[in-house]
Amino acid sequence: MSGLTRRELLKAAGVAGAAAALPSALAGPAGAQGTQKRELVVAQGGDISKFDPHFSTSANDIRISFNLFDNLIARHPDGKLQPSLATDWKLTNPTTWTFKLRHGVKWHNGDPFSSADVKYSFERTWDPKQNTRVSTVFTTVDKVEAPDASTVVFTTKKPDPLLAARVAFYGGQIVPKKYLEAVGNDTFNAKPVGTGPVRFVSWTKDDKIVLEANPDYFGGRPDFDRFVMRAVPEMAPRVAGLLKGETDIITQLPPDQGERVNGNPSTRVAGALYAGLYVLAVNSKVPPLDNPLVKQALSLAVDRDLIVKELWRGRGIAPSGPIAKGDNHFDTSLPALKYDPKEARERLKKSGYKGEDIVIETTAAYMANDKPMAEAIVAMWRDIGVNGKVEVVEYSVRAQKNRDKSFKGLWWSDPTSTLSDPDGMFWRLLSPGGPQDYWRHARFDELGEAARFSVDEKFRGQAYKEMTRIFLEHLPWIPVIQPYEDYGLQKHLEWTPNPNQQFEIRRFAFKFRRA
Amino acid sequence: MASSIPVSVPADAAGLEAARGGRVARRTRQLVAAGAAFVALLTIMAVAAPWLAPHDPVRQSLRARLTAPTLEAADGRAHPLGTDHLGRDVLSRTIWGARVSLLVGFAAVMVGGLVGAGLGILAGYRGGWTDTIIMTMADAQLAFPFILLAIGIIAVLGPSFPTLVVVIGLSGWVDYARVLRSQVLVLRSREFVDAILALGGAVPRIVARHILPNVLSTLVVIATLQLARAIVLEATLSFLGLGIQPPTPSWGGMIQEGREYLDSAWWISIFPGCLLLLTSLVVSRSGDWLRDLLDPTLRSE
Amino acid sequence: MRALVTFLAARLARALVAVWLVSTVVFVVMRLSGDPVPLLLPPDAPRSEFARVARELGTDRPLPVQYAVFLGHVAQGDFGRSIHFREPAMRVALEYLPATAQLGLTAFVFAVLVAVPAGVVSAVRRNTVVDQVAMGVALVGQSAPTFFLGILFILTLSLRAGLLPTSGRGDWTHIVLPALTLGAFAMASIARLTRSALLEVLRQDYVRTARAKGLREWRVVAKHAFRNAAIPVLTITGLQFGQLFSNTLVTETVFAWPGMGRLAIQSIYNRDYPVVQCVVFLSAVLFVALNFLIELVYGFLDPRIRPR
């Protein structure tokens, strides 16, 4: 901890002590109104593994990489796409997008930014020699051209209504061509150079990352001198550190802790409704889960309101179908999924279910509340006569089962809506050949494919409505909750969380309240 | 060796000093009896869990989750040790948790004992390369943290009761092997063994008649100490999420589940943890006392 | 002297074989335990991508071939590249070494500084309340599971009393709880052994003589007894130090201490074989070297028990 933070801590402790000694005194919230801090300290639940944005897509990694680097387009916390390295973009014909780049942007090492960097970055993602981990993000793109220093033209293979959204998410970060070609991937990863609001200073693995403000940032110098990201895997110390004032923001605040954070005079909870859903994905190929009636019974037996109210302390909503609230084409008229144990029992009877084991393979603490929810849901299933079982698998085992498509029954999935659209959400996962391709339905597939390549939003809306109806009958997923992603923060800062797990510290989203 | 295992240090010289007088020997006997009584009680508790536990250990009550120890909770029941994050009764789970601990503990001691004794006799009897290989394996095992290997093996086979028993059992074979090997070596140097062999006597008979009786008390001492080790190791693995699958309660698993609520609902972790600590303490101490009683030579090792 | 050298050479050879055996077992178990590739790619990557990355990492080759490649590289001191970090595995392991060394040494020094005086006091004031309390605490320290001890410390000293931080590495306050947890077992063992070794010596004739000469008890202990009791204490102390590493695994996990033990466990979960191999190798070498050293010191300290 820096001297500054420790002083803050001591000051706060002194005030708290005085308040306790003089209960009649006006116990103003210590340091809640303003601060002189020049250092932003954030604690997240795990360390990063790499800086190179094309080599990682994990939530911990992108909290850093989206701030070291910029995309052509940025998705702001309100869900809207805004200019970033590109000041303007338009669809010049159904398969051509033209981007105008910002002038005068410099890399952290002083090199000028140009269209050559953009072309290089996108080509790097799918270059087989580079072996990146984001090689499939831009499969709709045919080629990227740079006719002049401030123009980039994308040609897509078919009309792609979501290209702008794709460019704004992972894989779309722009990396420095000249520097990378000069030093190679390893040095770039060890000493990353971007255009973003913060510059790399140091990294102590499993401890902390230190970054400093980029004074020349085109979006304005961020409201701090230093940004320290600490890795604090356990929840208790994360919360304790916030309450003591050692950290300014903590990520992954469990709902059970919200009360304490809000009850503390100098801290508060800030949440964003997760841009995605928590669902139990179903292997619809194994009996009895190939029977829609069984799946309907399983869904009807889940008391989502109880789960939201007790396990989530109200920090979430019950979903109505496969589309997350906040996404394009979310149907506000659709009711939340019903809890009806009587009906569930009847459908189970009608299905001819003979007491086979139905297994949820859950991770423990990979998603918030995953294991407790799995145990609670299995208990609810047992109440209607389903032989439910929970098996805890490690995250790496889950990843392997995901690749081999070898889940025994159901498992947790937290599909993020990467593009704020059903296409980047359920269709990305449930489409033929997708990672959760365990169930096929001719009409569903036809509509999904048509909607992916249509630039007619009205048609797309109709298609997703019909797909939702089919989904609700066959339930390739059993949606359980759309939770809030909560953060704990000091009241001396203003910050808006981003629903899609990006951690935005640019000027427009973050500032300290100055005393 | 694996972490946090109560390996016994050479016992008190004070004990030795006084053990020559019968008064302290009698006291040691009483202590051993008390230790045995504790284990017996624990076993009875484990066996009788369905009748002793006030509630079904896996029965949830989300509306009464995280209830502090009370005689009248929101769900109208008594939860003298409180409820966990799913509203399950901590007392009932702690009682049932003894089953996993003891079952895995005893089974693992058997496995370790059989493997260790077998390899030890083999090493001592065959000598030469066999002996070198087996003893090098023992060295190798002691030279690195067993818990790493345990995690790896469980990752291969998946956490299940047999896997746990074998893994934990194998973590403790070295002690048995060393004792039996040296006993065999002692015997082999005596002529009568050669005579028996020359007369066509079978090796198993020699083992049964001449070796086991000599080392039985030592084996009992080692087994007792290993029981404490095995129980702690099982809890450690469960704590790391590699133990018995839910909803079956185990002490280590309960401590893990309660960890996130340590600040707000300490009772989830602390009650099973204290029973685990007590069990480990009494069993390992009983091992020490037994050694003082049965086998004063062992302590000078 | 010649005999000693031969003996030590034989020990060294055996130790090397032990290290090789450990590496091989870990190699086999790790390769069987699962595939790192799915952890590196987004879940919606197509199968061809998985195959490509497997080729890049060499995990698509048969196990014996992988083993041969591994041995070949290790012989040249190359442990391969970390799959998770994309850096040389040895560099990753060595980056975590200082934290572990700091924790281990602190815990150890802590243990010795508390345990030896406690053992001496217990021996001199044997069967008094002081003795009973000290030995009672030692017994608990010796049988308490490391992870639960850590949790008890976190609950009482950190969450309740608010005296110390619960986890991570930072200023000196961060190391107190993990060092206490890690050192507890060694502390208890050393305290009990110091007491019993000292008692043993105090019964010897020359101590009685010294007493008979009218020397005060404390002087007897300081001048005559302690030095003789030191040899067994030193031995067990050395052994305890060797055992510390396995306990750091759990301690570092409980306190999120960014050291090699935690790295090892995380790397198993990440299927980061090269790093696991590297850490295990380092710890085995450390352990073997320590034992070797102890044997050496032991041999010189006490000629009576010099090995055959």
Side-chain angles (χ1 to χ4, degrees), chain A residues 6 49-50 55 131-133 135-136 186 189 205-206 230 233 237 394-396 399-400 402-403 428 435, chain C residues 35 38-40 42-44 46-47 49-50 52 56 81 84 86-87 95-96 166-167 169 258 269 271:
Chain A
R6 281 194 54 77
S49 62
K50 302 160 203 83
F55 279 89
N131 281 316
T132 74
R133 306 292 176 246
S135 59
T136 55
D186 286 0
N189 187 43
K205 289 196 178 71
D206 270 326
R230 303 200 72 109
E394 221 191 276
Y395 176 63
S396 47
Q400 209 164 329
N402 185 66
R403 180 193 60 182
R428 173 171 62 97
Chain C
D35 188 346
L39 289 170
L40 299 173
D44 43 352
R47 287 199 82 87
E49 277 294 281
F50 288 111
R52 183 181 61 73
E56 177 199 340
R81 285 168 66 85
H84 184 67
R86 292 179 65 81
E87 285 175 35
E95 261 179 72
Y96 282 79
T166 42
S167 87
R169 190 175 176 216
Y269 289 141
R271 305 279 183 263

Side-chain angles (χ1 to χ4, degrees), chain A residues 93-126:
Chain A
N93 75 50
T95 55
T96 311
W97 293 73
T98 306
F99 289 75
K100 280 287 169 205
L101 304 185
R102 194 177 290 277
H103 288 283
V105 175
K106 287 217 176 344
W107 293 100
H108 295 156
N109 63 358
D111 291 345
F113 157 81
S114 84
S115 59
D117 296 311
V118 178
K119 181 173 156 66
Y120 174 80
S121 298
F122 283 93
E123 286 173 353
R124 181 181 191 242
T125 67
W126 62 68

Side-chain angles (χ1 to χ4, degrees), chain B residues 100-115:
Chain B
V100 169
S101 284
L102 290 180
L103 219 58
V104 173
F106 280 116
V109 166
M110 297 268 284
V111 169
L114 286 177
V115 172

